[in-house]
Amino acid sequence: MYAKFHSIGAYVPSKVLSNADLEKMVDTSDEWILKRTGIRERRIAGDSEVTSDMATKASKIAIERAGLRNSDIDLIVCATITPDYFNMPSTACIIADKLGIKNVQAFDISAACSGFVYALSVAKAFVESGMKRHVLIIGAEKFSSIVNYEDRTTCILFGDGAGASIISATDNKSEAIIDINASADGSYSDFLVTPAPGSVNPLSQKVLDEGLNFVQMKGNETFKLAVKTLTKDVKKILIDNNIDAKDIPHFVPHQANYRIIKAVGSALKMSSEQVVVTVDKYGNTSAASIPMAINDIYESGRLKRGELMLLDTFGGGLTWASAILPFAGETP
Ligand code: ACO
């Protein structure tokens, strides 16, 4: 039994937060943001629009595009670090309810920006072992809920959104996910951290006074490590699978910073046509960034059935992951 990447769907909130808007909020400039990150604008969810709402909308599209009914789904894995509730219930359980799916296994994965590829590896293992047939994987973030809009070093980077995919069983090896590598190094856990709420810092007045509920990042250190690690990681997965970078039509990197994307793409000697870039319009949507980017090339007609995708990602934990797979869904 093999696992195939059966479909893709995404949801993007309608509210746009532009660099010009941020200029009015913090001491920054459109020029600085564009030059250092490649971001022009990002989307922000409405006040009453939560992570599971965006995830459910993306999931409905992915299920429909796979030609399935909601009841065909036998596992839901939601990758998010901005869940509806920090402790319980999991966002995956809420998504199951919003989709009207009963008697389904459902849980969340916390791997920051690497969450979607981590979820992909979990789905692959469940399907290949024969335990599940159709797994709904989701990357969804309401990142604006943990961003301090007075901190110019982080608030310019992040946005909200969701992407979803169905991973299904197949006996056809030519449409199977080829390989996934997922890794972590917790010794760098202080590079990207949301200090509260958690068992280290339970919710308290001190937490609120010191803004410990907001994301903190050692940006420059993370940047350098991301370029180094990702370049090594994508080269390794290509070599391990005897695939040449020039034979990958779609390199879909995590959309954190255009300079990171460009550096890794250049190290692989990829042309701009091969590299998928959406960071300019969505910013960094963490676990949602890769499925949102895949959805972009799907909806624009760039992604065709059977074409290879190379995914790579890097984020809090620290975590990183890469994957090589053909798109095994129908294309419009
Ligand atoms: N506007 C203007 N100036 C700014 C801003 C801003 N928004 N933010 C920082 N600066 C200033 C700094 O204060 C600093 O000034 P100084 O030299 O006077 O001290 C200067 O700009 C340079 O700051 P750096 O942090 O060194 O800038 P850098 O070029 O590294 O860019 C950035 C910062 C964009 C955050 C970059 O480091 C980055 O993209 N890092 C990686 C992010 C990443 O990949 N994260 C992983 C995924 S996220 C996740 O897992 C949730």
Side-chain angles (χ1 to χ4, degrees), residues 29-95:
S29 66
D30 175 49
E31 192 197 356
W32 191 96
I33 301 171
L34 206 51
K35 195 168 155 216
R36 299 287 180 125
T37 71
I39 302 170
R40 292 178 189 276
E41 58 187 39
R42 61 295 286 145
R43 299 298 180 96
I44 303 296
D47 288 344
S48 59
E49 190 172 39
V50 299
T51 300
S52 66
D53 293 326
M54 295 187 280
T56 302
K57 285 179 180 156
S59 300
K60 281 182 180 164
I61 298 169
I63 294 168
E64 192 197 318
R65 286 180 182 161
L68 298 173
R69 289 163 305 173
N70 291 6
S71 55
D72 294 322
I73 303 302
D74 47 17
L75 171 63
I76 300 175
V77 183
C78 179
T80 184
I81 51 163
T82 49
D84 284 13
Y85 301 98
F86 268 94
N87 307 112
M88 61 181 171
S90 72
T91 306
C93 287
I94 298 167
I95 296 165

Side-chain angles (χ1 to χ4, degrees), residues 26-29 32-33 36-37 81 111-114 143 151-158 192 215 217-224 226 254 256-257 259-260 284 286 314-319:
V26 288
D27 179 17
T28 191
S29 66
W32 191 96
I33 301 171
R36 299 287 180 125
T37 71
I81 51 163
C113 300
S114 308
F143 218 97
D151 175 6
R152 68 175 184 172
T153 66
T154 52
C155 73
I156 55 138
L157 299 171
F158 297 101
L192 266 151
V215 65
M217 179 169 69
K218 292 187 178 172
N220 199 266
E221 292 90 329
T222 308
F223 181 97
K224 287 179 197 149
H254 170 50
N257 186 319
R259 289 187 293 143
I260 299 177
N284 181 350
S286 184
F314 188 89
L318 292 175
T319 55

Side-chain angles (χ1 to χ4, degrees), residues 36-226:
R36 299 287 180 125
T37 71
I39 302 170
R40 292 178 189 276
E41 58 187 39
R42 61 295 286 145
R43 299 298 180 96
I44 303 296
D47 288 344
S48 59
E49 190 172 39
V50 299
T51 300
S52 66
D53 293 326
M54 295 187 280
T56 302
K57 285 179 180 156
S59 300
K60 281 182 180 164
I61 298 169
I63 294 168
E64 192 197 318
R65 286 180 182 161
L68 298 173
R69 289 163 305 173
N70 291 6
S71 55
D72 294 322
I73 303 302
D74 47 17
L75 171 63
I76 300 175
V77 183
C78 179
T80 184
I81 51 163
T82 49
D84 284 13
Y85 301 98
F86 268 94
N87 307 112
M88 61 181 171
S90 72
T91 306
C93 287
I94 298 167
I95 296 165
D97 182 50
K98 287 183 177 172
L99 290 171
I101 304 177
K102 304 276 180 207
N103 300 319
V104 67
Q105 187 174 352
F107 58 88
D108 289 357
I109 282 186
S110 168
C113 300
S114 308
F116 184 78
V117 184
Y118 266 56
L120 184 66
S121 72
V122 170
K124 179 175 181 284
F126 266 96
V127 168
E128 287 178 351
S129 69
M131 282 179 73
K132 304 290 178 190
R133 284 197 64 76
H134 299 294
V135 183
L136 167 62
I137 61 169
I138 306 149
E141 305 283 10
K142 185 170 179 173
F143 218 97
S144 57
S145 65
I146 57 165
V147 165
N148 177 358
Y149 285 96
E150 292 179 359
D151 175 6
R152 68 175 184 172
T153 66
T154 52
C155 73
I156 55 138
L157 299 171
F158 297 101
D160 300 336
S165 171
I166 305 296
I167 308 304
S168 294
T170 178
D171 52 15
N172 180 354
K173 194 176 179 189
S174 72
E175 55 181 13
I177 295 168
I178 297 170
D179 198 9
I180 305 175
N181 272 328
S183 286
D185 186 344
S187 65
Y188 294 106
S189 56
D190 60 329
F191 274 33
L192 266 151
V193 60
T194 311
S199 60
V200 173
N201 294 302
L203 197 55
S204 65
Q205 194 55 48
K206 177 177 176 280
V207 162
L208 298 175
D209 291 346
E210 294 180 13
L212 299 177
N213 51 315
F214 294 124
V215 65
Q216 299 174 1
M217 179 169 69
K218 292 187 178 172
N220 199 266
E221 292 90 329
T222 308
F223 181 97
K224 287 179 197 149
L225 204 56

Side-chain angles (χ1 to χ4, degrees), residues 175-303:
E175 55 181 13
I177 295 168
I178 297 170
D179 198 9
I180 305 175
N181 272 328
S183 286
D185 186 344
S187 65
Y188 294 106
S189 56
D190 60 329
F191 274 33
L192 266 151
V193 60
T194 311
S199 60
V200 173
N201 294 302
L203 197 55
S204 65
Q205 194 55 48
K206 177 177 176 280
V207 162
L208 298 175
D209 291 346
E210 294 180 13
L212 299 177
N213 51 315
F214 294 124
V215 65
Q216 299 174 1
M217 179 169 69
K218 292 187 178 172
N220 199 266
E221 292 90 329
T222 308
F223 181 97
K224 287 179 197 149
L225 204 56
V227 172
K228 200 169 122 195
T229 309
L230 288 173
T231 304
K232 202 168 133 202
D233 201 46
V234 285
K235 281 185 175 170
K236 183 176 182 317
I237 199 168
L238 287 168
I239 291 166
D240 285 352
N241 292 282
N242 207 16
I243 295 174
D244 202 301
K246 71 175 179 351
D247 298 323
I248 301 280
H250 308 289
F251 173 41
V252 190
H254 170 50
Q255 306 287 316
N257 186 319
Y258 180 64
R259 289 187 293 143
I260 299 177
I261 297 171
K262 199 163 167 241
V264 180
S266 301
L268 295 177
K269 299 192 172 55
M270 287 204 165
S271 69
S272 56
E273 286 74 35
Q274 289 171 281
V275 183
V276 179
V277 178
T278 58
V279 70
D280 54 330
K281 51 185 182 178
Y282 302 139
N284 181 350
T285 57
S286 184
S289 112
I290 285 186
M292 283 170 69
I294 297 173
N295 187 67
D296 240 59
I297 52 171
Y298 175 87
E299 290 192 347
S300 66
R302 269 173 73 188
L303 179 64

